[in-house]
Amino acid sequence: MPVQLNKIFPRQWLVYLPAAIAAVGIFVFGLYSLKLDQEKVKINARASVINDLNLVRAKLEANILGNIQLVRGLVAFIAIEPEISQKRFAELGSEIFRNNHQIHNIAAAPDLVITRMYPLAGNEKAIGLDYQKNEAQRDAALKARDEEQLILAGPVDLVQGGRGFIGRIPVFKGSGTDDPGAFWGLVATVIDVEKLYVDSGLLDPGLPIKIAIRGHDSKGADGDQFFGRPDVFSGDPVLADITLPYGSWQMAAIPKGGWPGHSKGEIWLYLILLAAELLIVVPMIIAGKLLKERQIHIHRLQASQRSAEKANMAKSEFLASMSHELRTPLNAILGFAQMLQYDPKNPPSIAQNSYIESIRTGGDHLLALVNDVLDLAKIEADQLQLHIEKLAANDIVAECVAMTAHLGDTRGIKFIDQFSGGPTAYLYADQLRLKQILLNLLSNAIKFNHVNGTVHLQGQATEGGFLRISITDTGIGIAKREYGKVFQVFQRVIADPMVAQEGTGIGLTVTKHLVEQMAGRIGFESEVGIGSTFWIELPLASD
Ligand code: ADP
């Protein structure tokens, strides 16, 4: 039963379904892997930026707090000794300057007016500055007073030139006790912007990150940006806060070359993805295509098989009905010819008798041919029915020998029957068909024999429970190269071109089919000019 592929794959696209599923699967898996890889690269890059930024931030924070801490010492001194002279102030200032590189100057402003300064040289312009009257610095100064906190302002342009962060620390007389006491004024220190940046590593050309800082006047993320390029804050930066005594700054950093786009691994993944698609999907598409072609091929084969079967059936039906239609009038011709020959009232003349004999011989041949064709048609249509029964082989062989003996007589051929007279052998066969087989073999043994030749019949049991009946003649024989043709339909073997042969080449084909349908075997041995032995083997039956 041919596989009904069209039922398994009712639609053409279904053939490619496994390939499509594999393609989508690989694509999704690949994209997922790429996303994971990108995430990994991004995380690594951010971790490295965080690391670098933290280093700079730590230095910056330490520098600012270090500066403030030093000034706080001076504030504590003034709180105890509010009437500090410029000389004493300068002594303490120089002490502070010995330890620090970023403080530009320190000023003391009792009642918010700058009266003391260290170093004086270069900062003279600031002496006498009244914070209350200076619009640029007033708010920050008052804030420090009111919040009672250090306020780090700036960076601002300095009166004495340059830029600086100004740390203003409010001083309360007698502070250090529980009651801070009355407001004395401010101690202001200017931290040099450039120096602070350099010492904190912000301007290091070897820094692998771009940094920006915002939070002018310690306003944190809300304050204006005062360091770095403006694009840093908009470039998805890593953020870090610098906590100041009052308020904060916000730092932002991105890698100098920008964030990584595509990693090397990503390119490899693309290649692997492509290779996977090629290695898995392409063969699947080809397999699908082949399967589809096979399906079409099977369809075609089935169609041609059906039409061949139809044609064969039509042929067999035609042959069967034609043979039947031919046999009826043929039998009538033969019957009337016989009646003419043996009519006692009007016996035919010698000449008429010979004509009638010719009609009968020709008719007999034609009838045999029609019978053979009918059998062949039935075999091909698988409609040959057999009636297998237990038979005494000896009787049937004797009957067939008797039926063909007269044919041999006309050519002086002698029969040596060593079988029928022997012990009875039983076999399983269809009686009529067994006779047909034996008659065909015997008539061939006569037909292809020499004048005055012999036909020898033998029977013997063989291994495997068979009865072998062999018919040996002393005729023209069959050449070895022609052996293959003997059982083929319509094939006649020309052993001796000088010997006229009659026949159609159907008899042995039908005989072989009949023997095999009776679970038997048929074969022959032959030698040109010496003769042939044709044998059949049929299943033996017990007595
Ligand atoms: P037919 O006898 O009608 O030609 P068969 O099928 O019976 O057809 O035989 C096929 C051919 O085999 C014969 O034509 C003949 O050439 C060869 N053949 C059959 N039997 C013999 C035999 N006993 N001796 C020699 N040739 C034979």
Side-chain angles (χ1 to χ4, degrees), residues 3 12 29 48 100 108 114 136 166 213 254 345 351 370 494 537:
V3 183
Q12 183 149 351
F29 170 77
S48 153
N100 187 272
I114 295 176
I166 307 176
I213 308 174
I254 56 171
K345 287 180 190 160
V370 168
I494 312 298
E537 285 180 358

Side-chain angles (χ1 to χ4, degrees), residues 13 86 168-169 178 233 320 367 461 490 510-511 526:
W13 63 265
Q86 168 64 30
R168 297 185 182 89
I169 309 172
D178 285 346
F233 272 102
L367 191 60
F490 302 121
V510 174
T511 300
S526 183

Side-chain angles (χ1 to χ4, degrees), residues 22 67-68 89 95 139 206 229 284 331 380 434 443 465 472 500 528:
N67 291 329
I68 288 167
F89 186 80
E95 208 43 49
D139 288 350
R229 293 168 59 102
M284 287 184 89
N331 280 325
E380 285 186 356
L434 178 58
S443 62
T472 306
V528 177

Side-chain angles (χ1 to χ4, degrees), residues 12-13 37 43 89 103 147 160 171 173 224 249-250 273 322 325 355 397 399 403 414 464 467 469 484 497 501 533 537:
Q12 183 149 351
W13 63 265
D37 190 55
I43 287 168
F89 186 80
I103 292 181
E147 298 285 339
Q160 58 273 41
V171 184
K173 286 182 225 165
D224 292 339
W249 291 343
Q250 189 178 56
L273 196 66
M322 279 311 287
E325 295 303 316
Y355 298 153
V397 170
E399 198 181 327
M403 282 170 80
K414 220 167 58 191
L467 172 69
I469 302 170
Q501 293 179 24
T533 297
E537 285 180 358

